[in-house]
């Protein structure tokens, strides 16, 4: 998948927000006018990045997405590829390689580690992104709160690390959100990392539940603890905690804002066209 100019990330984020606020009757012409673009240019850029048209995205956005996904694309993870739990996960065309902290490094709380960070545009809104020399260690969306709060949230995972603002992460951010290879450096206790490994095994366009993850990691009674670990995922989007729903079909919570979760699920559902949801756009 090709990478695009940073401008397109901001454009996609603005387009998604406008579609969300514009209701079912917003036309391509109306959307283009809001963004100050020609309809043809908007259609071309949006479709090139997302693989779907703005209209198709809009149709999925207004569907009862969580309920329909749980009914049509629910995975229990019983048949998930073992490679997804042994070091390599696949998120659409994005190849992820991850490395968990050693117990000693976790106990040291990041002492001796340098973490570079910055605020970047992404297709799903602005986000704080952090990285160690081993890879991306934090992505937190900021559209639901002051960016300073998101920064403090992510930085608190490494209280003894040295933090340095660095805009040179831009190439890593672009690769992460456009299908390039990405390395992740997971930051968490052993139980948390075990849960995050399970999240990496959920295919794009599919969803699971907290109970399914608890069973998948061999601790079916730990549903509440799993929920807490999912909520503490420090790497939004790449570790897809947005794919976890309540058993009753509710959207559930999302640490980085429910609007971001809905946009992520809508984007992935529209790209993969689950059969049940396809009736909405018939």
């Amino acid at each position: 998948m090709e990478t695009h100019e940073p401008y397109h990330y901001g454009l996609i984020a603005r387009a998604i927000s406008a579609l969300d606020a514009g209701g079912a009757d917003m036309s391509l012409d109306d959307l283009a006018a809001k963004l100050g673009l020609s309809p043809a240019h908007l259609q071309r850029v949006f479709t090139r990045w997302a693989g779907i048209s703005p209209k198709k995205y809009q149709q999925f956005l207004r569907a009862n997405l969580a309920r329909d996904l749980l009914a049509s694309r629910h995975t229990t993870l019983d048949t998930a590829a073992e490679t997804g739990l042994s070091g390599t996960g696949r998120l659409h065309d994005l190849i992820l390689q991850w490395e968990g902290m050693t117990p000693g490094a976790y106990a040291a709380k990041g002492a001796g580690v340098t973490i570079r960070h910055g605020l970047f545009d992404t297709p799903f809104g602005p986000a704080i992104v952090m990285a160690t020399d081993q890879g991306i260690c934090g992505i937190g969306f900021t559209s639901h709160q002051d960016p300073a709060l998101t920064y403090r949230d992510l930085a608190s995972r490494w209280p003894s690390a040295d933090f340095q603002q660095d805009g040179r992460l831009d190439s890593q951010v672009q690769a992460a959100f456009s299908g390039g290879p990405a390395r992740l450096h997971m930051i968490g206790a052993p139980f948390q990392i075990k849960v995050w490994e399970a999240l990496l095994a959920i295919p794009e366009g599919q969803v699971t539940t907290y109970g399914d993850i608890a069973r998948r990691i061999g601790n079916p009674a730990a549903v509440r603890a799993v929920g807490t670990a999912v909520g503490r995922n420090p790497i939004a989007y790449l570790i897809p905690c947005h794919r976890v729903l309540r058993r009753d079909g509710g959207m559930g919570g999302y640490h980085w804002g429910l609007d971001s979760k809905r946009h992520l699920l809508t984007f992935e559902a529209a790209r993969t066209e689950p059969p049940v949801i396809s009736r909405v756009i018939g």
Side-chain angles (χ1 to χ4, degrees):
M1 182 182 297
E2 62 179 318
T3 59
H4 307 309
E5 296 299 322
Y7 161 75
H8 290 160
Y9 291 94
L11 171 61
I12 295 298
R14 289 165 55 212
I16 287 174
S17 295
L19 286 170
D20 193 23
D25 297 327
M26 175 176 278
S27 67
L28 178 64
D29 288 347
D30 292 339
L31 178 61
K34 277 186 171 291
L35 299 176
L37 301 170
S38 72
H41 180 62
L42 173 60
Q43 179 92 351
R44 183 170 59 253
V45 171
F46 194 101
T47 303
R48 184 173 65 178
W49 181 82
I52 54 176
S53 69
K55 186 65 175 178
K56 183 176 178 182
Y57 181 94
Q58 181 186 39
Q59 290 167 331
F60 276 84
L61 187 65
R62 68 176 186 261
N64 192 337
L65 194 64
R67 185 191 66 197
D68 284 353
L69 279 175
L70 200 61
S72 65
R73 297 297 290 256
H74 174 207
T75 175
T76 63
L77 299 180
D78 291 337
T79 60
E82 288 300 321
T83 54
L85 301 179
S86 63
T88 303
R90 189 170 184 86
L91 177 61
H92 53 86
D93 292 330
L94 177 62
I95 302 299
L96 299 177
Q97 294 181 317
W98 61 265
E99 176 182 341
M101 296 177 66
T102 65
Y106 182 72
K109 300 180 179 181
V113 175
T114 297
I115 296 179
R116 295 170 293 133
H117 65 89
L119 178 65
F120 299 89
D121 279 336
T122 83
F124 308 104
I128 299 290
V129 180
M130 296 183 172
T132 69
D133 288 341
Q134 282 70 46
I136 292 174
C137 64
I139 297 177
F141 295 111
T142 67
S143 56
H144 65 302
Q145 64 181 10
D146 189 310
L149 296 177
T150 300
Y151 170 82
R152 287 199 291 270
D153 184 334
L154 293 174
S156 69
R157 322 298 177 101
W158 300 78
S160 299
D162 176 32
F163 290 88
Q164 298 179 3
Q165 190 164 4
D166 189 347
R168 290 175 297 177
L169 290 175
D170 188 69
S171 60
Q172 287 179 262
V173 175
Q174 289 188 52
F177 282 95
S178 63
R183 292 189 59 84
L184 308 183
H185 193 185
M186 292 189 189
I187 312 154
F191 179 83
Q192 292 174 322
I193 290 180
K194 195 172 186 179
V195 170
W196 302 338
E197 290 173 4
L199 295 177
L200 288 170
I202 308 170
E204 182 189 23
Q206 297 190 23
V207 295
T208 195
T209 67
Y210 299 101
D212 288 328
I213 292 175
R215 287 187 291 274
R216 184 64 181 88
I217 66 174
N219 198 343
V223 176
R224 186 180 296 272
V226 164
T228 299
V230 169
R232 289 290 291 170
N233 168 29
I235 308 178
Y237 178 67
L238 298 184
I239 299 178
C241 55
H242 58 277
R243 296 177 187 162
V244 184
L245 302 175
R246 293 203 313 247
R247 186 175 60 179
D248 64 3
M251 187 71 72
Y254 190 57
H255 191 70
W256 309 112
L258 276 177
D259 281 347
S260 294
K261 180 174 185 174
R262 188 159 56 94
H263 291 160
L264 286 161
L265 286 173
T266 297
F267 168 72
E268 293 182 351
R271 280 170 56 100
T272 54
E273 288 201 38
V276 168
I277 297 179
S278 65
R279 60 178 167 76
V280 176
I281 66 170

